[in-house]
C-alpha cells in the first residue's frame, strides 16, 4: 500500500492543476446540486420493531385522514391574576383565537378548550390543540406565522399565551462558538508549523471536503429524508478529521524535507507513510459510523452513513489535494525546524545547519516518552485510576429523548410546558396513547371498556379518557395521563404496566393493546439502543481489531488499543452525566435544564470516539512500529515514535477538541451534548490513553508487544504501513536522471 500511495502522492504533486481542478469542480457541482435541491420534506422519526411504532402504523391504517404524523401545537392560555379562564371576557378571547387558528390552509382540526375538557380544575389555565395535515418540517412558514399571530392577538387582549408542540420547531443553530473552534484550530496549526501557508493547507482542504460532503447531503436531503442534524454532525466530524488527516501528511512532508529529499519525492513519501496511516485511521472511523446501522433506527443510520461519506472524502482529499497544494506552495512550506526567510545560499546552509542541530536536541515528546519508559507502572496506574474516577458518574446514567421540558426557559415551548404542568400536573405533557385493536374480537365495545377499566386500576394514573373508536368500530384510542413527568422512571413503569395489562386483555379477548405517543416512543428508543449497544460494540470493535492486526502485525497492540478506548469512552460518558444530568458546570456549558442523557448519545459516542481513538493509535504507534521494524529496540522505538509524532498528535487532538467544542453553542440539545461529549472524549483518549497509558503498556510489554503467531503472519496481507517498500521505490526513482517523462513534466511545472 505504501508504494501505491507513494505513486499517488507524486502524481498529485506533479499533476497539481488536474487534481485541484477535479476537487474544485466536484465542490462546484455539489454546490449547484444543493442550491437547486428542494427543501427537505418529512423526516419523521420511525423506530421499526418497537411497539410504539407498531401502534403508530395501526393508527395510520385504521384512522385515515387523522394526520397521525402531522405537526401539533398546544396554545396555552393563562388568565391574569385574580381572574379565571371561565370568565366571559376570557372565554370570548379564547374562542376568537380558536376561530382564527381554524382558518389555516394546513390545519386539520382545532379543539375548543371549553368543549374538550381543556380547562384546569382551578380555572386559571386552558389550552387549545391544533393538528396539522403535514409534519413539522413540511409546515409552511405562513402557517407558523398564523399560529404566532393568533397567540399574539390573545396576548394583546390581556392573556398570557405560550405555544408548545413541534409546529414551531426550528432548524438548529450552532452559534458563534463554531467559528471560534475553527479559529483555535488555525492558531494551533500556525504554532505547529510556524508558517501561515503550511497552516492554511489543512484548513483549506478540510473546508473543501466538508463543503462537498454537506452540499451533497443538502442536495439529497429531500430524496433521502435527511434531517438538519445530519449535516451538522457531518460538518463536525468531517471538519475535525479533515484537518487532522491533512495535518499528519503536511507534517510528514516537512520531516521528509528535513531529511534532504526533493519536494516531489517528499510529497510521495509523506502520502506513502502518513497517508497509509490516514487510510487505516479513516477506515476505522467509517466502520464505526456505518456500523450504527445495526441499531436499525433509520435516522441514526442516515446520520452515520452521511458522516462516514464525509470522512471518506476527507481521506481522499488528504491523499490527493494536500500533495497538490504542496506543489503549489513550493518553498513557502519549509522543512521541519526551518524558520525565517531565505536570504541566499550561505544563509540557507546556516539555517539548515541550525535546523539539524535543533533536530538533534530532545524535544518535549522525547523527554516525556523517556520519562514514561523509566516509570511505566506509575504512569499506567495514574492514568487508569484518573479515568476510572472520571467514569464514576456514568454508573447513574439515565437515558431519554428531549421534549419541550428540556428547552431553554427563554423559549415559548418551554413556558407552555411549564404552564401545562402548573395547571394539569407534570404528566399532562407526556400523555400515553393506548391503541386497542379489537378487529379479531367478537365484542369490540366490551374490549374497549375492559381495557379502560384495567388501566384505571394501575398506579400513577391521573385520568383515562373514554375509548374513541374509528368508523369501522374495530379499533379505538384511549388517552392516559400519568401522574409523573414524561422522563420519570414512574412513567416508564406505567408504560410497562399498561403493556402487561394488555397481555391479559389479549389472552381473554384476542385484541391487541398497544401503547404509543411521544413518551412511549422515547422509552422504546432507549430500550432499543440499550439492547443494540453490545452487538454494536462487538461488530465495530471486532472489525477494527482485525484491521489493526493487519496494520500493526501484532495481537497485543490492537487489544491494548481497544481496552484504552473503553477507558476513554466511559470517562467521557461520566463527564456527560456530570454536566448534563447532574448539572456540574452547566452554566458554563449553556445547559439551562438538566435531565436524562440523550438516548442515542452512548451508542453514537461509542461509534465516533472509537474511530477517532484509533486515529491517534494508528498515527502514533505506526511511527513506533516503523522504528522497531527498522531495527530499534522496543523502548527506543517508543521514544522515536513520540519524537516524531507526539507534537503532531497533540496538535491534532487540540484541533479536534476545538472543532467539537465549537458545537457546544448549538441551540439543538443533541448537537450540544455530542459536541461536549466528543471534545472531552478526545481529551481523555489523546492525552491520557495514547500519550500516557499506551507508551507505559508498550514499555512493560517490550518485544512481546509486537508478537504475532507465524502462521497468522504468513496468512495476513502485507500492507506495508511502515513504508519499507519505499526504499527500493525511492532508489528506482532516484536512478531516473532527466530521461523520465515524470521528471520532464516536473521541470516544466
Amino acid at each position: 500500500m505504501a508504494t501505491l500511495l507513494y505513486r499517488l502522492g507524486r502524481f498529485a504533486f506533479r499533476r497539481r492543476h488536474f487534481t485541484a481542478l477535479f476537487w474544485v469542480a466536484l465542490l462546484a457541482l455539489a454546490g449547484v446540486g444543493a442550491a437547486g435541491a428542494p427543501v427537505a420534506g418529512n423526516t419523521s422519526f420511525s423506530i421499526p420493531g418497537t411497539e410504539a411504532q407498531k401502534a403508530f402504523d395501526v393508527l395510520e391504517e385504521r384512522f385515515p385522514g387523522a394526520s397521525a404524523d402531522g405537526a401539533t401545537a398546544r396554545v396555552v392560555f393563562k388568565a391574569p391574576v385574580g381572574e379565571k379562564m371561565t370568565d366571559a371576557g376570557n372565554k370570548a378571547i379564547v374562542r376568537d383565537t380558536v376561530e382564527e387558528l381554524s382558518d389555516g390552509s394546513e390545519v386539520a382540526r382545532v379543539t375548543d378548550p371549553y368543549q374538550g375538557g381543556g380547562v384546569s380544575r382551578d380555572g386559571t389555565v386552558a389550552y387549545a390543540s391544533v393538528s396539522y395535515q403535514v409534519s413539522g418540517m413540511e409546515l409552511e412558514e405562513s402557517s407558523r406565522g398564523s399560529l404566532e399571530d393568533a397567540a399574539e392577538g390573545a396576548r394583546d387582549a390581556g392573556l398570557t399565551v405560550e405555544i408548545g408542540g413541534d409546529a414551531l420547531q426550528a432548524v438548529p443553530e450552532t452559534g458563534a462558538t463554531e467559528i471560534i473552534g475553527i479559529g483555535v484550530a488555525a492558531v494551533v496549526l500556525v504554532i505547529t508549523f510556524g508558517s501561515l501557508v503550511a497552516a492554511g493547507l489543512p484548513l483549506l482542504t478540510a473546508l473543501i471536503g466538508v463543503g462537498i460532503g454537506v452540499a451533497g447531503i443538502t442536495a439529497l436531503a429531500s430524496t433521502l429524508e435527511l434531517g438538519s442534524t445530519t449535516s451538522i454532525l457531518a460538518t463536525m466530524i468531517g471538519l475535525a478529521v479533515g484537518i487532522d488527516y491533512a495535518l499528519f501528511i503536511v507534517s510528514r512532508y516537512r520531516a521528509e524535507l528535513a531529511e534532504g529529499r526533493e519536494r516531489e519525492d517528499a510529497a510521495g513519501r509523506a502520502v506513502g507513510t502518513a497517508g497509509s496511516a490516514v487510510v487505516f485511521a479513516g477506515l476505522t472511523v467509517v466502520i464505526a459510523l456505518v456500523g450504527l446501522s445495526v441499531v436499525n433506527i433509520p435516522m441514526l443510520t442516515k446520520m452515520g452513513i452521511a458522516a462516514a461519506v464525509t470522512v471518506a472524502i476527507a481521506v481522499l482529499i488528504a491523499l490527493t489535494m494536500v500533495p497538490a497544494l504542496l506543489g503549489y506552495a513550493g518553498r513557502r512550506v519549509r522543512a521541519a525546524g526551518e524558520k525565517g526567510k531565505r536570504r541566499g545560499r550561505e544563509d540557507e546552509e546556516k539555517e539548515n545547519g541550525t535546523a539539524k542541530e535543533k533536530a538533534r536536541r530532545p524535544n518535549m515528546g522525547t523527554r516525556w516518552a523517556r520519562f514514561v519508559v523509566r516509570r511505566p507502572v506509575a504512569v499506567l496506574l495514574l492514568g487508569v485510576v484518573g479515568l476510572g474516577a472520571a467514569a464514576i458518574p456514568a454508573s447513574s446514567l439515565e437515558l431519554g429523548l428531549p421534549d419541550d421540558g428540556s428547552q431553554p426557559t427563554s423559549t415559548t415551548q418551554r413556558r407552555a410546558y411549564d404552564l401545562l404542568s402548573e395547571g394539569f400536573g407534570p404528566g399532562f405533557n407526556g400523555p400515553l396513547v393506548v391503541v386497542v385493536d379489537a378487529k379479531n374480537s367478537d365484542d369490540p365495545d366490551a374490549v374497549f371498556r375492559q381495557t379502560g377499566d384495567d388501566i384505571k386500576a394501575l398506579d400513577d394514573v391521573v385520568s383515562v379518557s373514554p375509548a374513541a373508536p374509528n368508523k369501522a368500530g374495530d379499533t379505538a384510542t384511549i388517552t392516559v395521563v400519568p401522574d409523573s413527568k414524561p422522563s420519570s422512571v414512574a412513567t416508564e413503569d406505567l408504560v410497562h404496566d399498561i403493556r402487561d395489562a394488555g397481555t391479559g386483555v389479549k389472552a381473554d379477548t384476542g385484541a391487541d393493546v398497544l401503547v404509543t405517543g411521544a413518551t412511549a416512543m422515547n422509552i422504546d428508543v432507549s430500550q432499543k439502543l440499550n439492547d443494540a449497544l453490545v452487538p454494536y460494540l462487538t461488530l465495530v470493535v471486532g472489525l477494527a481489531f482485525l484491521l489493526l492486526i493487519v496494520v500493526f502485525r501484532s495481537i497485543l497492540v490492537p487489544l491494548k488499543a481497544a481496552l484504552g478506548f473503553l477507558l476513554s469512552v466511559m470517562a467521557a460518558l461520566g463527564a456527560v452525566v456530570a454536566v448534563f444530568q447532574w448539572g456540574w458546570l452547566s452554566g458554563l456549558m449553556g445547559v439551562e435544564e438538566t435531565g436524562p442523557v440523550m438516548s442515542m448519545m452512548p451508542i453514537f459516542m461509542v461509534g465516533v470516539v472509537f474511530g477517532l481513538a484509533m486515529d491517534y493509535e494508528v498515527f502514533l504507534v505506526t511511527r513506533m512500529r516503523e522504528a522497531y521494524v527498522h531495527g530499534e529496540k522496543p523502548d527506543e522505538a517508543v521514544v522515536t515514535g513520540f519524537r516524531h509524532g507526539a507534537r503532531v498528535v497533540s496538535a491534532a487532538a487540540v484541533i479536534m477538541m476545538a472543532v467539537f467544542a465549537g458545537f457546544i453553542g448549538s441551540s439543538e440539545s443533541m448537537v450540544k451534548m455530542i459536541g461536549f461529549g466528543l471534545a472531552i472524549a478526545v481529551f481523555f483518549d489523546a492525552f491520557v490513553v495514547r500519550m500516557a497509558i499506551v507508551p507505559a503498556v508498550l514499555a512493560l510489554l517490550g518485544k512481546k508487544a509486537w508478537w504475532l503467531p507465524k502462521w497468522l503472519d504468513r496468512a495476513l496481507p502485507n500492507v506495508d504501513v511502515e513504508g519499507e517498500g519505499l526504499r527500493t521505490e525511492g532508489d528506482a526513482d532516484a536512478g531516473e536522471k532527466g530521461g523520465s517523462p515524470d521528471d520532464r513534466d516536473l521541470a516544466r511545472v
Side-chain angles (χ1 to χ4, degrees):
M1 172 171 286
T3 302
L4 177 64
L5 293 179
Y6 169 79
R7 292 172 179 171
L8 177 63
R10 291 192 64 179
F11 173 83
F13 185 96
R14 191 168 56 250
R15 300 284 192 265
R16 61 192 71 126
H17 303 315
F18 168 78
T19 304
L21 181 62
F22 171 80
W23 286 112
V24 171
L26 190 59
L27 176 62
L29 184 64
V32 170
V39 178
N42 188 3
T43 56
S44 57
F45 192 78
S46 63
I47 312 294
T50 61
E51 180 174 317
Q53 185 64 45
K54 183 180 178 181
F56 185 82
D57 296 339
V58 170
L59 285 175
E60 287 195 320
E61 177 188 347
R62 306 288 174 80
F63 291 83
S67 302
D69 61 344
T72 59
R74 274 180 170 176
V75 182
V76 187
F77 307 89
K78 184 176 182 180
V81 177
E83 297 183 16
K84 302 285 186 181
M85 290 305 304
T86 52
D87 294 346
N90 292 335
K91 268 189 176 183
I93 296 171
V94 172
R95 283 178 172 154
D96 288 344
T97 304
V98 168
E99 184 177 350
E100 183 178 351
L101 290 170
S102 302
D103 293 337
S105 59
E106 294 180 312
V107 174
R109 59 188 175 277
V110 181
T111 61
D112 188 318
Y114 302 104
Q115 296 177 359
V119 182
S120 63
R121 289 183 179 178
D122 62 4
T124 60
V125 178
Y127 74 93
S129 293
V130 185
S131 299
Y132 292 88
Q133 298 171 355
V134 296
S135 68
M137 293 299 294
E138 295 174 307
L139 202 62
E140 294 181 359
E141 285 301 321
S142 59
S143 295
R144 291 192 178 95
S146 298
L147 178 62
E148 292 173 329
D149 290 344
E152 190 61 37
R155 289 192 191 103
D156 292 342
L159 298 179
T160 299
V161 186
E162 304 295 346
I163 306 171
D166 61 351
L168 292 183
Q169 66 180 3
V171 175
E173 300 175 354
T174 54
T177 51
E178 180 185 351
I179 306 301
I180 295 173
I182 296 176
V184 171
V187 172
V188 173
L189 287 169
V190 171
I191 294 173
T192 302
F193 291 136
S195 164
L196 288 174
V197 175
L201 291 181
L203 281 175
L204 177 60
T205 54
L207 290 173
I208 291 174
V210 168
I212 294 172
V214 172
I217 291 171
T218 304
L220 298 173
S222 178
T223 304
L224 301 180
E225 297 182 1
L226 302 176
S228 56
T229 306
T230 303
S231 60
I232 292 178
L233 294 176
T235 300
M236 182 191 304
I237 297 170
L239 193 61
V241 300
I243 294 174
D244 277 7
Y245 294 165
L247 166 64
F248 280 104
I249 290 179
V250 173
S251 298
R252 187 61 183 252
Y253 171 76
R254 297 177 71 236
E256 295 293 339
L257 288 180
E259 294 291 328
R261 304 191 190 281
E262 294 297 325
R263 293 188 177 273
E264 181 180 337
D265 186 46
R269 288 178 178 273
V271 175
T273 51
S276 296
V278 165
V279 169
F280 284 102
L283 273 176
T284 59
V285 179
V286 169
I287 288 172
L289 291 171
V290 173
L292 291 169
S293 59
V294 303
V295 184
N296 195 26
I297 295 179
M299 187 186 78
L300 193 59
T301 299
K302 292 172 184 177
M303 286 166 53
I305 292 176
V309 170
T310 307
V311 171
I313 293 172
V315 170
L316 293 174
I317 283 186
L319 298 178
T320 56
M321 187 71 166
V322 170
L325 292 181
L326 289 173
Y328 283 119
R331 296 185 179 276
R332 287 185 290 273
V333 176
R334 293 186 283 271
E338 186 179 326
K339 296 181 180 179
K341 295 182 179 180
R342 296 183 179 273
R343 294 177 296 277
R345 186 173 183 83
E346 184 177 346
D347 289 340
E348 182 180 340
E349 290 175 354
K350 289 180 181 179
E351 287 177 349
N352 286 338
T354 303
K356 291 179 180 178
E357 177 64 26
K358 194 172 182 180
R360 285 192 288 267
R361 301 174 191 165
N363 58 20
M364 185 177 295
T366 302
R367 294 194 296 271
W368 170 250
R370 287 174 179 169
F371 171 80
V372 174
V373 167
R374 287 196 304 269
R375 297 175 177 82
V377 176
V379 173
L380 178 61
L381 288 176
L382 185 61
V384 171
V385 171
L387 291 178
I392 290 175
S395 62
S396 63
L397 175 67
E398 295 177 9
L399 298 178
L401 287 178
D403 55 19
D404 286 347
S406 63
Q407 296 273 1
T409 53
S410 58
T411 63
T412 186
Q413 292 96 327
R414 172 59 188 278
R415 292 195 292 266
Y417 180 97
D418 292 340
L419 283 177
L420 289 172
S421 295
E422 174 188 331
F424 299 91
F428 194 79
N429 283 291
L432 306 175
V433 179
V434 179
V435 180
V436 185
D437 180 2
K439 193 172 185 179
N440 298 324
S441 174
D442 296 333
D443 188 356
D445 290 336
V447 174
F448 301 154
R449 287 193 300 272
Q450 178 185 342
T451 304
D453 292 340
D454 290 347
I455 294 173
K456 289 177 183 177
L458 298 175
D459 295 334
D460 203 52
V461 173
V462 171
S463 66
V464 179
S465 70
N470 62 349
K471 289 183 179 180
D474 59 6
T475 306
T477 60
I478 300 173
T479 302
V480 181
V481 177
D483 188 37
S484 306
K485 64 180 182 179
S487 58
S488 67
V489 176
T491 300
E492 182 177 350
D493 291 340
L494 176 60
V495 170
H496 294 309
D497 290 343
I498 295 174
R499 287 172 174 169
D500 291 340
T503 303
V505 173
K506 183 175 178 62
D508 295 339
T509 66
D512 287 323
V513 178
L514 308 170
V515 185
T516 189
T519 301
M521 183 70 82
N522 291 352
I523 293 169
D524 286 352
V525 169
S526 299
Q527 187 61 49
K528 191 176 181 71
L529 289 166
N530 285 338
D531 294 342
L533 186 57
V534 172
Y536 173 71
L537 268 175
T538 303
L539 173 68
V540 172
V541 176
L543 288 175
F545 182 77
L546 294 176
L547 185 66
L548 292 179
I549 289 177
V550 174
V551 174
F552 296 127
R553 308 194 77 78
S554 163
I555 298 293
L556 295 179
V557 170
L559 180 61
K560 164 204 53 81
L563 294 176
F565 149 74
L566 291 176
L567 279 174
S568 57
V569 79
M570 289 305 298
L573 277 176
V576 169
V577 170
V579 173
F580 291 89
Q581 189 174 308
W582 292 1
W584 294 5
L585 302 177
S586 57
L588 181 64
M589 298 297 166
V591 180
E592 296 190 26
E593 184 70 20
T594 59
V597 172
M598 193 86 54
S599 294
M600 61 182 64
M601 181 69 189
I603 200 164
F604 191 84
M605 179 182 283
V606 163
V608 177
V609 173
F610 182 79
L612 300 181
M614 295 307 103
D615 277 5
Y616 300 120
E617 181 76 13
V618 170
F619 288 131
L620 194 59
V621 180
T622 48
R623 269 291 195 170
M624 300 178 191
R625 169 74 181 172
E626 183 178 342
Y628 178 75
V629 167
H630 291 162
E632 292 188 11
K633 294 180 180 179
D635 286 358
E636 294 173 349
V638 171
V639 175
T640 299
F642 268 76
R643 180 170 67 250
H644 291 293
R647 183 180 182 184
V648 180
V649 169
S650 299
V654 171
I655 289 169
M656 197 170 280
M657 288 166 56
V659 172
F660 288 148
F663 289 84
I664 295 175
S666 173
S667 61
E668 178 71 30
S669 59
M670 179 178 177
V671 176
K672 180 191 292 288
M673 192 177 294
I674 289 177
F676 171 79
L678 293 183
I680 198 69
V682 168
F683 172 77
F684 287 143
D685 195 85
F687 293 106
V688 181
V689 174
R690 309 303 153 188
M691 289 292 178
I693 293 177
V694 165
V697 171
L698 291 177
L700 290 172
L701 290 175
K703 290 184 177 181
K704 295 177 182 177
W706 309 108
W707 171 80
L708 187 69
K710 292 183 179 179
W711 64 268
L712 185 57
D713 187 39
R714 290 192 297 269
L716 292 177
N718 183 13
V719 295
D720 188 23
V721 177
E722 301 83 16
E724 185 67 25
L726 296 185
R727 293 188 174 189
T728 55
E729 184 77 20
D731 293 341
D733 289 331
E736 299 174 358
K737 299 202 181 215
S740 75
D742 290 353
D743 289 336
R744 289 197 297 272
D745 289 339
L746 179 61
R748 283 196 294 271
V749 175

